[in-house]
Amino acid sequence: MGPGTVANYRSLIDRHLIPGLGRHRLRDLAPEHVDRFLRAKADAGLSRSSVGRLRSILTDALTHAERRQLVVPQRRAPLDPAGHQCGGRRPAGSHHRRA
């Protein structure tokens, strides 16, 4: 990973992840917390690629924590970058709405 990528990830963590989810202990972080967080970021206008990076960072952190047995493994449905479960049904037209 190059220095620019590291700086970008650090910025996403500092500006979004910690303020948005930092109050939850990793073991107490529920899928609903992550869903709401990602949806709120998308609804606030954060780019699709940035929301996807946030999701990727969270996925990597949770996978790492599971491997280290810091959290109990959970079956997580994959999320799209907007925070919706993949394969799940959304209300008609919801992918076009913006706040």
Side-chain angles (χ1 to χ4, degrees):
M1 211 181 293
T5 302
V6 171
N8 184 291
Y9 277 43
R10 177 88 269 169
S11 174
L12 288 169
I13 291 166
D14 292 341
R15 293 178 65 205
H16 299 285
L17 285 173
I18 292 172
L21 295 172
R23 68 185 170 278
H24 302 287
R25 290 199 167 272
L26 194 56
R27 69 176 172 260
D28 299 328
L29 188 63
E32 296 79 24
H33 298 133
V34 175
D35 291 348
R36 275 193 303 265
F37 168 75
L38 292 174
R39 198 169 303 113
K41 290 299 173 181
D43 290 347
L46 195 64
S47 75
R48 186 175 179 94
S49 63
S50 291
V51 173
R53 277 193 226 89
L54 290 170
R55 186 197 58 77
S56 177
I57 292 166
L58 280 169
T59 299
D60 290 348
L62 289 170
T63 299
H64 181 78
E66 287 174 358
R67 285 187 190 137
R68 300 279 189 266
Q69 298 180 345
L70 300 173
V71 296
V72 176
Q74 294 183 8
R75 289 179 52 113
R76 291 188 303 268
L79 302 175
D80 70 15
H84 301 103
Q85 286 188 345
C86 293
R89 297 186 63 120
R90 291 188 233 164
S94 66
H95 60 286
H96 295 291
R97 275 187 275 171
R98 280 234 149 198

Coordinates of all heavy atoms in Angstrom, one line a residue:
M1 N 0.8 -1.2 0.0 CA 0.0 0.0 0.0 C 0.9 1.2 0.0 O 1.8 1.3 0.8 CB -0.9 0.0 1.3 CG -2.2 0.6 1.1 SD -3.2 0.6 2.6 CE -3.6 -1.1 2.8
G2 N 0.6 2.2 -0.9 CA 1.4 3.4 -1.0 C 1.1 4.4 0.1 O 0.0 4.3 0.8
P3 N 1.9 5.4 0.3 CA 1.7 6.4 1.3 C 0.4 7.2 1.1 O -0.3 7.6 2.1 CB 2.9 7.3 1.3 CG 3.8 6.8 0.1 CD 3.2 5.6 -0.4
G4 N 0.0 7.4 -0.1 CA -1.2 8.2 -0.4 C -2.4 7.4 0.0 O -3.4 7.9 0.6
T5 N -2.4 6.0 -0.2 CA -3.5 5.2 0.2 C -3.6 5.1 1.7 O -4.7 5.2 2.2 CB -3.3 3.8 -0.4 OG1 -3.2 3.8 -1.8 CG2 -4.4 2.8 0.0
V6 N -2.5 5.0 2.4 CA -2.5 5.0 3.8 C -3.0 6.3 4.4 O -3.9 6.2 5.3 CB -1.1 4.7 4.4 CG1 -1.0 4.9 5.9 CG2 -0.6 3.3 4.0
A7 N -2.6 7.4 3.8 CA -3.1 8.7 4.3 C -4.7 8.8 4.0 O -5.4 9.3 4.9 CB -2.4 9.8 3.6
N8 N -5.1 8.3 2.9 CA -6.6 8.3 2.6 C -7.3 7.5 3.6 O -8.4 7.9 4.1 CB -6.8 7.8 1.2 CG -8.3 7.9 0.8 OD1 -9.1 7.2 1.3 ND2 -8.5 8.8 -0.2
Y9 N -6.9 6.3 3.9 CA -7.5 5.4 4.8 C -7.5 6.0 6.2 O -8.5 6.0 7.0 CB -6.9 4.0 4.9 CG -7.4 3.1 3.8 CD1 -7.6 3.5 2.5 CD2 -7.7 1.8 4.0 CE1 -8.0 2.7 1.5 CE2 -8.1 0.9 3.0 CZ -8.3 1.4 1.8 OH -8.7 0.6 0.8
R10 N -6.4 6.6 6.6 CA -6.2 7.2 7.9 C -7.3 8.4 8.1 O -7.9 8.5 9.1 CB -4.8 7.8 8.1 CG -4.6 8.5 9.4 CD -4.2 7.6 10.5 NE -5.3 7.2 11.2 CZ -5.4 6.2 12.2 NH1 -4.4 5.5 12.5 NH2 -6.5 5.9 12.8
S11 N -7.4 9.1 7.0 CA -8.4 10.2 7.0 C -9.8 9.7 7.1 O -10.6 10.3 7.9 CB -8.2 11.0 5.7 OG -9.3 12.0 5.6
L12 N -10.2 8.6 6.4 CA -11.5 8.1 6.5 C -11.7 7.5 8.0 O -12.8 7.7 8.5 CB -11.7 6.9 5.5 CG -11.8 7.3 4.1 CD1 -11.7 6.1 3.1 CD2 -13.1 8.1 3.8
I13 N -10.7 6.9 8.5 CA -10.9 6.4 9.9 C -11.1 7.6 10.9 O -12.0 7.6 11.7 CB -9.6 5.6 10.3 CG1 -9.6 4.3 9.5 CG2 -9.6 5.3 11.8 CD1 -8.3 3.5 9.5
D14 N -10.2 8.6 10.8 CA -10.3 9.7 11.7 C -11.5 10.6 11.5 O -12.1 11.1 12.5 CB -9.0 10.6 11.6 CG -7.7 9.9 12.1 OD1 -7.9 8.9 12.8 OD2 -6.6 10.3 11.7
R15 N -11.9 10.8 10.3 CA -13.0 11.7 10.0 C -14.4 11.1 10.1 O -15.4 11.8 10.3 CB -12.8 12.4 8.7 CG -11.6 13.3 8.6 CD -11.4 13.9 7.3 NE -12.5 14.8 7.0 CZ -12.9 15.1 5.7 NH1 -12.2 14.6 4.7 NH2 -13.9 15.9 5.5
H16 N -14.4 9.8 9.9 CA -15.8 9.1 9.7 C -15.9 8.0 10.7 O -16.9 7.9 11.4 CB -16.0 8.7 8.3 CG -16.0 9.8 7.3 ND1 -17.0 10.7 7.2 CD2 -15.0 10.2 6.4 CE1 -16.7 11.6 6.2 NE2 -15.5 11.3 5.8
L17 N -15.0 7.0 10.6 CA -15.3 5.8 11.4 C -15.2 6.0 12.9 O -16.1 5.6 13.7 CB -14.2 4.7 11.0 CG -14.5 4.0 9.7 CD1 -13.4 3.1 9.3 CD2 -15.8 3.2 9.8
I18 N -14.2 6.7 13.4 CA -14.1 6.9 14.8 C -15.2 7.8 15.4 O -15.9 7.4 16.3 CB -12.7 7.5 15.2 CG1 -11.6 6.4 15.0 CG2 -12.7 7.9 16.7 CD1 -10.2 6.8 15.1
P19 N -15.5 8.9 14.7 CA -16.6 9.7 15.2 C -18.0 9.0 15.1 O -18.9 9.1 15.9 CB -16.6 10.9 14.4 CG -15.3 11.0 13.8 CD -14.8 9.6 13.7
G20 N -18.1 8.2 14.0 CA -19.4 7.5 13.8 C -19.7 6.2 14.6 O -20.8 5.9 14.9
L21 N -18.6 5.5 14.8 CA -18.8 4.2 15.4 C -17.9 3.9 16.7 O -18.0 2.9 17.3 CB -18.5 3.0 14.4 CG -19.5 2.9 13.3 CD1 -19.0 1.9 12.3 CD2 -20.9 2.5 13.8
G22 N -17.0 4.9 16.9 CA -16.0 4.8 18.0 C -16.6 4.6 19.4 O -15.9 4.1 20.3
R23 N -17.8 4.9 19.6 CA -18.4 4.8 20.9 C -18.7 3.3 21.3 O -19.0 3.0 22.4 CB -19.6 5.7 21.1 CG -20.8 5.2 20.3 CD -21.9 6.2 20.4 NE -23.0 6.0 19.4 CZ -23.0 6.4 18.1 NH1 -21.9 7.1 17.7 NH2 -24.0 6.1 17.3
H24 N -18.8 2.5 20.2 CA -19.1 1.1 20.4 C -17.8 0.2 20.6 O -16.9 0.4 19.8 CB -19.8 0.5 19.2 CG -21.1 1.2 18.9 ND1 -22.2 1.1 19.6 CD2 -21.4 2.1 17.9 CE1 -23.2 1.9 19.1 NE2 -22.7 2.5 18.1
R25 N -17.8 -0.6 21.6 CA -16.7 -1.6 21.7 C -16.8 -2.6 20.5 O -18.0 -2.9 20.1 CB -16.7 -2.3 23.0 CG -16.4 -1.5 24.2 CD -16.0 -2.4 25.3 NE -15.4 -1.6 26.4 CZ -14.1 -1.4 26.5 NH1 -13.3 -1.8 25.5 NH2 -13.6 -0.7 27.5
L26 N -15.7 -3.0 20.0 CA -15.8 -3.9 18.8 C -16.7 -5.1 19.0 O -17.5 -5.5 18.2 CB -14.3 -4.3 18.4 CG -14.2 -5.0 17.1 CD1 -14.7 -4.1 16.0 CD2 -12.7 -5.3 16.9
R27 N -16.6 -5.7 20.2 CA -17.4 -6.9 20.5 C -18.9 -6.6 20.6 O -19.7 -7.4 20.5 CB -16.9 -7.6 21.8 CG -17.1 -6.8 23.0 CD -16.7 -7.6 24.3 NE -16.8 -6.8 25.4 CZ -15.7 -6.2 26.0 NH1 -14.5 -6.3 25.5 NH2 -15.9 -5.4 27.1
D28 N -19.2 -5.3 20.8 CA -20.6 -4.9 20.9 C -21.2 -4.3 19.6 O -22.3 -4.0 19.6 CB -20.8 -3.8 22.1 CG -20.4 -4.4 23.4 OD1 -20.5 -5.6 23.6 OD2 -19.8 -3.6 24.2
L29 N -20.3 -4.1 18.7 CA -20.7 -3.5 17.4 C -21.7 -4.5 16.7 O -21.3 -5.6 16.3 CB -19.5 -3.2 16.5 CG -19.7 -2.5 15.2 CD1 -20.3 -1.1 15.5 CD2 -18.5 -2.3 14.5
A30 N -22.9 -4.1 16.5 CA -23.9 -4.9 15.8 C -24.0 -4.6 14.3 O -23.7 -3.4 13.9 CB -25.2 -4.7 16.5
P31 N -24.5 -5.5 13.5 CA -24.7 -5.2 12.1 C -25.6 -4.0 11.9 O -25.4 -3.2 11.0 CB -25.3 -6.5 11.6 CG -24.9 -7.6 12.5 CD -24.8 -6.9 13.8
E32 N -26.6 -3.8 12.8 CA -27.5 -2.6 12.6 C -26.7 -1.3 12.8 O -27.0 -0.3 12.1 CB -28.6 -2.7 13.7 CG -29.5 -3.9 13.5 CD -28.9 -5.2 14.1 OE1 -28.0 -5.1 15.0 OE2 -29.4 -6.2 13.6
H33 N -25.7 -1.3 13.7 CA -24.9 -0.1 13.8 C -24.2 0.3 12.5 O -24.1 1.4 12.1 CB -23.8 -0.3 14.9 CG -24.4 -0.5 16.3 ND1 -23.9 -1.5 17.1 CD2 -25.4 0.1 17.0 CE1 -24.6 -1.5 18.2 NE2 -25.5 -0.5 18.2
V34 N -23.6 -0.8 11.9 CA -22.8 -0.6 10.7 C -23.8 -0.2 9.6 O -23.5 0.8 8.8 CB -22.0 -1.8 10.3 CG1 -21.3 -1.7 9.0 CG2 -21.0 -2.2 11.4
D35 N -24.9 -0.8 9.5 CA -25.9 -0.5 8.4 C -26.3 1.0 8.5 O -26.3 1.7 7.5 CB -27.1 -1.4 8.5 CG -26.9 -2.8 8.2 OD1 -25.8 -3.2 7.6 OD2 -27.7 -3.7 8.5
R36 N -26.7 1.4 9.7 CA -27.1 2.8 9.9 C -26.0 3.8 9.6 O -26.2 4.8 9.0 CB -27.6 3.0 11.4 CG -29.0 2.6 11.6 CD -29.5 3.2 12.9 NE -28.7 2.7 14.0 CZ -29.0 1.6 14.8 NH1 -30.1 0.9 14.5 NH2 -28.2 1.3 15.8
F37 N -24.8 3.4 10.0 CA -23.6 4.3 9.8 C -23.4 4.5 8.3 O -23.3 5.6 7.8 CB -22.4 3.7 10.5 CG -21.1 4.3 10.1 CD1 -20.7 5.6 10.5 CD2 -20.2 3.7 9.2 CE1 -19.6 6.2 10.2 CE2 -19.0 4.3 8.8 CZ -18.7 5.5 9.3
L38 N -23.3 3.3 7.6 CA -23.0 3.4 6.1 C -24.2 4.1 5.4 O -23.9 4.9 4.5 CB -22.8 2.0 5.6 CG -21.5 1.3 6.0 CD1 -21.4 -0.1 5.5 CD2 -20.3 2.1 5.6
R39 N -25.4 3.8 5.8 CA -26.5 4.5 5.1 C -26.5 6.0 5.4 O -26.7 6.8 4.4 CB -27.8 3.9 5.6 CG -29.0 4.2 4.7 CD -30.2 3.3 5.1 NE -30.0 1.9 5.0 CZ -30.0 1.1 6.1 NH1 -30.3 1.5 7.3 NH2 -29.7 -0.2 5.9
A40 N -26.2 6.4 6.6 CA -26.1 7.8 6.9 C -25.0 8.5 6.1 O -25.2 9.6 5.6 CB -25.9 8.0 8.4
K41 N -23.9 7.9 5.9 CA -22.8 8.4 5.2 C -23.2 8.6 3.7 O -23.0 9.6 3.1 CB -21.5 7.6 5.3 CG -20.9 7.6 6.6 CD -20.5 9.1 7.0 CE -20.0 9.2 8.4 NZ -19.6 10.6 8.7
A42 N -23.9 7.6 3.1 CA -24.3 7.7 1.8 C -25.4 8.8 1.6 O -25.4 9.6 0.7 CB -24.9 6.3 1.3
D43 N -26.3 8.8 2.6 CA -27.4 9.8 2.5 C -26.9 11.2 2.7 O -27.4 12.2 2.2 CB -28.5 9.6 3.6 CG -29.3 8.3 3.3 OD1 -29.2 7.8 2.2 OD2 -30.0 7.8 4.2
A44 N -25.7 11.4 3.4 CA -25.1 12.7 3.6 C -24.3 13.1 2.4 O -23.8 14.3 2.4 CB -24.2 12.6 4.9
G45 N -24.2 12.3 1.4 CA -23.6 12.7 0.2 C -22.1 12.2 0.0 O -21.4 12.6 -0.9
L46 N -21.6 11.4 1.0 CA -20.3 10.9 0.8 C -20.3 10.0 -0.4 O -21.2 9.3 -0.7 CB -19.9 10.0 2.0 CG -18.4 9.7 2.2 CD1 -17.6 11.0 2.4 CD2 -18.2 8.8 3.4
S47 N -19.2 10.1 -1.2 CA -19.2 9.4 -2.5 C -19.3 7.9 -2.3 O -18.9 7.4 -1.3 CB -17.8 9.7 -3.2 OG -16.8 9.0 -2.6
R48 N -19.8 7.3 -3.3 CA -20.0 5.8 -3.3 C -18.7 5.1 -3.0 O -18.6 4.1 -2.3 CB -20.6 5.4 -4.6 CG -21.0 3.9 -4.7 CD -21.7 3.6 -6.0 NE -22.1 2.2 -6.0 CZ -23.3 1.7 -5.6 NH1 -24.2 2.5 -5.2 NH2 -23.5 0.4 -5.7
S49 N -17.6 5.6 -3.7 CA -16.3 5.0 -3.5 C -15.8 5.1 -2.0 O -15.2 4.2 -1.5 CB -15.3 5.5 -4.5 OG -15.0 6.9 -4.3
S50 N -16.0 6.3 -1.4 CA -15.6 6.5 0.0 C -16.4 5.6 0.9 O -15.9 5.0 1.9 CB -15.8 8.0 0.4 OG -14.8 8.8 -0.3
V51 N -17.7 5.5 0.7 CA -18.6 4.6 1.5 C -18.1 3.2 1.4 O -18.0 2.4 2.3 CB -20.1 4.8 1.2 CG1 -20.9 3.7 1.9 CG2 -20.5 6.2 1.5
G52 N -17.7 2.8 0.1 CA -17.2 1.5 -0.1 C -15.9 1.2 0.6 O -15.6 0.1 1.2
R53 N -15.0 2.3 0.7 CA -13.8 2.1 1.4 C -14.0 2.0 2.9 O -13.3 1.2 3.6 CB -12.8 3.3 1.1 CG -12.1 3.2 -0.2 CD -10.9 4.2 -0.2 NE -10.9 4.8 -1.5 CZ -11.6 5.9 -1.9 NH1 -12.3 6.5 -1.1 NH2 -11.5 6.3 -3.2
L54 N -15.0 2.8 3.4 CA -15.3 2.6 4.8 C -15.8 1.2 5.1 O -15.4 0.6 6.1 CB -16.4 3.6 5.2 CG -16.0 5.1 5.3 CD1 -17.3 6.0 5.4 CD2 -15.0 5.4 6.4
R55 N -16.6 0.7 4.3 CA -17.1 -0.7 4.5 C -16.0 -1.7 4.4 O -15.9 -2.6 5.2 CB -18.1 -1.1 3.4 CG -18.8 -2.4 3.6 CD -19.5 -3.0 2.4 NE -18.6 -3.1 1.2 CZ -17.7 -4.0 1.1 NH1 -17.5 -5.0 2.0 NH2 -16.9 -4.1 0.0
S56 N -15.1 -1.5 3.5 CA -13.9 -2.4 3.3 C -13.0 -2.3 4.6 O -12.5 -3.3 5.1 CB -13.1 -2.0 2.1 OG -12.0 -2.7 2.0
I57 N -12.8 -1.1 5.1 CA -11.9 -1.0 6.3 C -12.6 -1.7 7.5 O -11.9 -2.4 8.2 CB -11.7 0.5 6.6 CG1 -10.9 1.2 5.6 CG2 -11.1 0.7 8.0 CD1 -10.9 2.7 5.6
L58 N -13.9 -1.5 7.6 CA -14.6 -2.2 8.7 C -14.6 -3.7 8.5 O -14.3 -4.4 9.5 CB -16.1 -1.8 8.7 CG -16.4 -0.4 9.4 CD1 -17.8 0.0 9.1 CD2 -16.1 -0.5 10.9
T59 N -14.8 -4.2 7.3 CA -14.7 -5.6 7.1 C -13.4 -6.2 7.4 O -13.3 -7.2 8.1 CB -15.1 -5.9 5.6 OG1 -16.4 -5.4 5.3 CG2 -15.0 -7.4 5.3
D60 N -12.3 -5.5 7.0 CA -11.0 -6.0 7.3 C -10.7 -6.0 8.8 O -10.1 -6.9 9.3 CB -9.9 -5.1 6.6 CG -9.9 -5.3 5.1 OD1 -10.5 -6.3 4.6 OD2 -9.3 -4.5 4.4
A61 N -11.1 -4.9 9.5 CA -10.9 -4.8 10.9 C -11.7 -6.0 11.7 O -11.1 -6.6 12.6 CB -11.4 -3.5 11.5
L62 N -12.9 -6.2 11.3 CA -13.7 -7.3 11.9 C -13.1 -8.7 11.6 O -13.1 -9.5 12.5 CB -15.2 -7.2 11.5 CG -15.9 -6.0 12.1 CD1 -17.3 -5.9 11.4 CD2 -16.1 -6.1 13.6
T63 N -12.7 -8.9 10.4 CA -12.0 -10.1 10.0 C -10.8 -10.4 10.8 O -10.5 -11.4 11.4 CB -11.7 -10.2 8.5 OG1 -12.9 -10.0 7.8 CG2 -11.0 -11.5 8.1
H64 N -10.0 -9.3 11.0 CA -8.7 -9.4 11.8 C -9.1 -9.7 13.2 O -8.5 -10.6 13.9 CB -8.0 -8.1 11.7 CG -6.7 -8.0 12.5 ND1 -5.6 -8.6 12.0 CD2 -6.4 -7.5 13.7 CE1 -4.6 -8.5 12.9 NE2 -5.1 -7.8 13.9
A65 N -10.1 -9.0 13.8 CA -10.5 -9.3 15.2 C -11.0 -10.7 15.4 O -10.8 -11.3 16.4 CB -11.6 -8.3 15.6
E66 N -11.8 -11.2 14.4 CA -12.3 -12.6 14.4 C -11.1 -13.6 14.4 O -11.1 -14.5 15.2 CB -13.2 -12.9 13.3 CG -14.5 -12.3 13.4 CD -15.4 -12.4 12.2 OE1 -15.0 -13.0 11.2 OE2 -16.6 -11.9 12.2
R67 N -10.1 -13.4 13.6 CA -8.9 -14.2 13.5 C -8.2 -14.3 14.8 O -7.6 -15.3 15.2 CB -8.0 -13.8 12.4 CG -8.5 -14.2 11.0 CD -7.4 -13.9 10.0 NE -8.0 -14.0 8.7 CZ -7.8 -13.2 7.7 NH1 -7.0 -12.1 7.8 NH2 -8.4 -13.3 6.5
R68 N -8.2 -13.1 15.5 CA -7.5 -13.0 16.8 C -8.4 -13.4 18.0 O -8.0 -13.2 19.1 CB -7.0 -11.5 17.0 CG -6.0 -11.1 15.9 CD -4.6 -11.6 16.2 NE -3.6 -11.0 15.4 CZ -3.2 -11.5 14.2 NH1 -3.7 -12.6 13.8 NH2 -2.3 -10.9 13.5
Q69 N -9.6 -13.8 17.7 CA -10.6 -14.2 18.6 C -10.9 -13.1 19.6 O -11.1 -13.3 20.8 CB -10.1 -15.5 19.4 CG -10.0 -16.7 18.4 CD -9.5 -17.9 19.1 OE1 -9.0 -17.9 20.2 NE2 -9.7 -19.0 18.4
L70 N -10.9 -11.9 19.1 CA -11.3 -10.7 19.9 C -12.8 -10.5 19.9 O -13.4 -9.8 20.7 CB -10.6 -9.5 19.4 CG -9.1 -9.5 19.5 CD1 -8.4 -8.3 18.8 CD2 -8.6 -9.6 20.9
V71 N -13.4 -11.1 18.8 CA -14.9 -11.0 18.7 C -15.4 -12.4 18.3 O -14.6 -13.2 17.7 CB -15.4 -10.0 17.7 CG1 -15.0 -8.5 18.2 CG2 -14.8 -10.2 16.3
V72 N -16.6 -12.7 18.6 CA -17.2 -13.9 18.1 C -17.6 -13.8 16.7 O -18.2 -12.8 16.2 CB -18.5 -14.2 18.9 CG1 -19.2 -15.5 18.4 CG2 -18.2 -14.3 20.4
P73 N -17.2 -14.8 15.8 CA -17.5 -14.7 14.4 C -19.0 -14.6 14.2 O -19.8 -15.3 14.9 CB -16.9 -16.0 13.8 CG -15.9 -16.4 14.8 CD -16.4 -16.0 16.1
Q74 N -19.4 -13.8 13.3 CA -20.8 -13.6 13.0 C -21.0 -13.9 11.5 O -20.1 -13.5 10.7 CB -21.3 -12.2 13.2 CG -21.3 -11.8 14.7 CD -21.9 -10.4 14.9 OE1 -22.4 -9.8 13.9 NE2 -21.8 -10.0 16.1
R75 N -22.1 -14.4 11.1 CA -22.5 -14.6 9.7 C -23.0 -13.2 9.3 O -24.0 -12.7 9.8 CB -23.5 -15.6 9.5 CG -23.0 -17.0 9.7 CD -24.1 -18.0 9.5 NE -24.8 -17.8 8.2 CZ -24.7 -18.6 7.2 NH1 -24.1 -19.7 7.3 NH2 -25.4 -18.3 6.1
R76 N -22.2 -12.5 8.5 CA -22.6 -11.2 8.0 C -23.0 -11.3 6.6 O -22.2 -11.8 5.7 CB -21.5 -10.2 8.2 CG -21.1 -9.9 9.6 CD -20.1 -8.8 9.7 NE -18.9 -9.1 9.0 CZ -17.8 -9.7 9.5 NH1 -17.8 -10.1 10.8 NH2 -16.7 -9.9 8.8
A77 N -24.2 -10.7 6.3 CA -24.6 -10.6 4.9 C -23.7 -9.5 4.3 O -23.5 -8.5 4.9 CB -26.0 -10.2 4.7
P78 N -23.2 -9.7 3.1 CA -22.4 -8.6 2.4 C -23.2 -7.4 2.2 O -24.4 -7.5 1.9 CB -21.9 -9.2 1.1 CG -22.8 -10.4 0.9 CD -23.4 -10.8 2.2
L79 N -22.6 -6.2 2.3 CA -23.3 -5.0 2.1 C -22.7 -4.3 0.8 O -21.6 -4.4 0.5 CB -23.0 -4.0 3.3 CG -23.5 -4.5 4.7 CD1 -23.0 -3.5 5.7 CD2 -24.9 -4.7 4.7
D80 N -23.6 -3.6 0.1 CA -23.1 -2.8 -1.0 C -22.6 -1.5 -0.4 O -22.8 -1.2 0.8 CB -24.2 -2.6 -2.0 CG -25.4 -1.7 -1.6 OD1 -25.2 -1.0 -0.6 OD2 -26.4 -1.7 -2.3
P81 N -21.9 -0.7 -1.2 CA -21.3 0.5 -0.7 C -22.3 1.5 0.0 O -21.9 2.3 0.8 CB -20.6 1.2 -1.9 CG -20.3 0.0 -2.8 CD -21.5 -1.0 -2.6
A82 N -23.6 1.4 -0.3 CA -24.6 2.3 0.3 C -25.1 1.7 1.6 O -25.9 2.3 2.3 CB -25.8 2.5 -0.6
G83 N -24.5 0.6 2.0 CA -24.9 0.0 3.3 C -26.1 -0.9 3.2 O -26.7 -1.3 4.3
H84 N -26.6 -1.3 2.1 CA -27.7 -2.2 1.9 C -27.2 -3.6 1.8 O -26.2 -3.8 1.1 CB -28.5 -1.8 0.7 CG -29.1 -0.4 0.7 ND1 -28.5 0.6 0.0 CD2 -30.1 0.1 1.4 CE1 -29.1 1.7 0.2 NE2 -30.1 1.5 1.0
Q85 N -27.9 -4.6 2.3 CA -27.5 -5.9 2.2 C -27.7 -6.3 0.7 O -28.7 -6.1 0.1 CB -28.4 -6.9 3.0 CG -28.1 -6.8 4.5 CD -28.8 -7.8 5.3 OE1 -29.8 -8.4 4.8 NE2 -28.4 -8.0 6.5
C86 N -26.6 -7.0 0.2 CA -26.6 -7.4 -1.2 C -27.7 -8.5 -1.3 O -27.9 -9.4 -0.5 CB -25.3 -8.0 -1.6 SG -24.0 -6.7 -1.6
G87 N -28.4 -8.4 -2.4 CA -29.5 -9.4 -2.7 C -30.8 -9.1 -2.0 O -31.8 -9.8 -2.2
G88 N -30.7 -8.1 -1.1 CA -31.9 -7.8 -0.3 C -32.8 -6.9 -1.2 O -32.3 -6.3 -2.2
R89 N -34.0 -6.8 -0.8 CA -35.0 -6.0 -1.6 C -35.0 -4.6 -1.0 O -35.0 -4.4 0.2 CB -36.3 -6.6 -1.6 CG -36.4 -7.9 -2.3 CD -37.8 -8.4 -2.4 NE -38.5 -7.5 -3.2 CZ -39.1 -7.8 -4.3 NH1 -39.1 -9.0 -4.8 NH2 -39.8 -6.9 -5.0
R90 N -35.0 -3.6 -1.8 CA -35.1 -2.2 -1.4 C -36.4 -1.7 -1.9 O -36.9 -2.1 -2.9 CB -34.0 -1.3 -2.0 CG -32.7 -1.6 -1.4 CD -31.7 -0.6 -1.9 NE -30.6 -1.3 -2.5 CZ -29.7 -0.8 -3.3 NH1 -29.8 0.5 -3.7 NH2 -28.8 -1.5 -3.8
P91 N -37.0 -0.7 -1.2 CA -38.2 -0.1 -1.7 C -38.0 0.4 -3.1 O -36.9 0.9 -3.4 CB -38.6 1.0 -0.7 CG -37.8 0.7 0.5 CD -36.6 -0.1 0.0
A92 N -39.0 0.3 -4.0 CA -38.9 0.8 -5.3 C -38.4 2.3 -5.4 O -39.0 3.1 -4.6 CB -40.2 0.7 -6.1
G93 N -37.5 2.5 -6.2 CA -37.0 3.9 -6.3 C -36.0 4.3 -5.2 O -35.5 5.5 -5.3
S94 N -35.7 3.5 -4.2 CA -34.9 4.0 -3.1 C -33.5 4.3 -3.5 O -32.8 5.1 -2.9 CB -34.9 3.0 -2.0 OG -34.3 1.8 -2.4
H95 N -33.0 3.6 -4.6 CA -31.6 3.9 -5.0 C -31.5 5.2 -5.8 O -30.4 5.6 -6.0 CB -31.1 2.7 -5.9 CG -31.9 2.5 -7.1 ND1 -33.2 1.9 -7.1 CD2 -31.7 2.8 -8.4 CE1 -33.7 1.8 -8.3 NE2 -32.8 2.4 -9.1
H96 N -32.6 5.9 -6.0 CA -32.6 7.2 -6.7 C -32.8 8.3 -5.8 O -32.5 9.5 -6.2 CB -33.6 7.2 -7.8 CG -33.4 6.3 -9.0 ND1 -32.3 6.4 -9.8 CD2 -34.0 5.1 -9.3 CE1 -32.3 5.4 -10.7 NE2 -33.3 4.6 -10.4
R97 N -33.2 8.1 -4.6 CA -33.5 9.2 -3.7 C -32.3 9.7 -3.0 O -31.4 9.0 -2.7 CB -34.4 8.7 -2.5 CG -35.9 8.7 -2.9 CD -36.7 8.4 -1.7 NE -36.7 6.9 -1.7 CZ -37.2 6.2 -0.7 NH1 -37.7 6.8 0.3 NH2 -37.3 4.9 -0.7
R98 N -32.3 11.0 -2.8 CA -31.2 11.7 -2.1 C -31.8 12.6 -1.1 O -32.8 13.3 -1.4 CB -30.4 12.5 -3.1 CG -29.4 11.7 -3.9 CD -28.1 12.3 -3.7 NE -27.3 11.2 -3.8 CZ -26.1 11.0 -3.4 NH1 -25.5 11.7 -3.0 NH2 -25.4 10.0 -3.4
A99 N -31.1 12.7 0.0 CA -31.6 13.7 1.0 C -31.3 15.1 0.7 O -30.4 15.4 0.0 CB -31.0 13.3 2.4

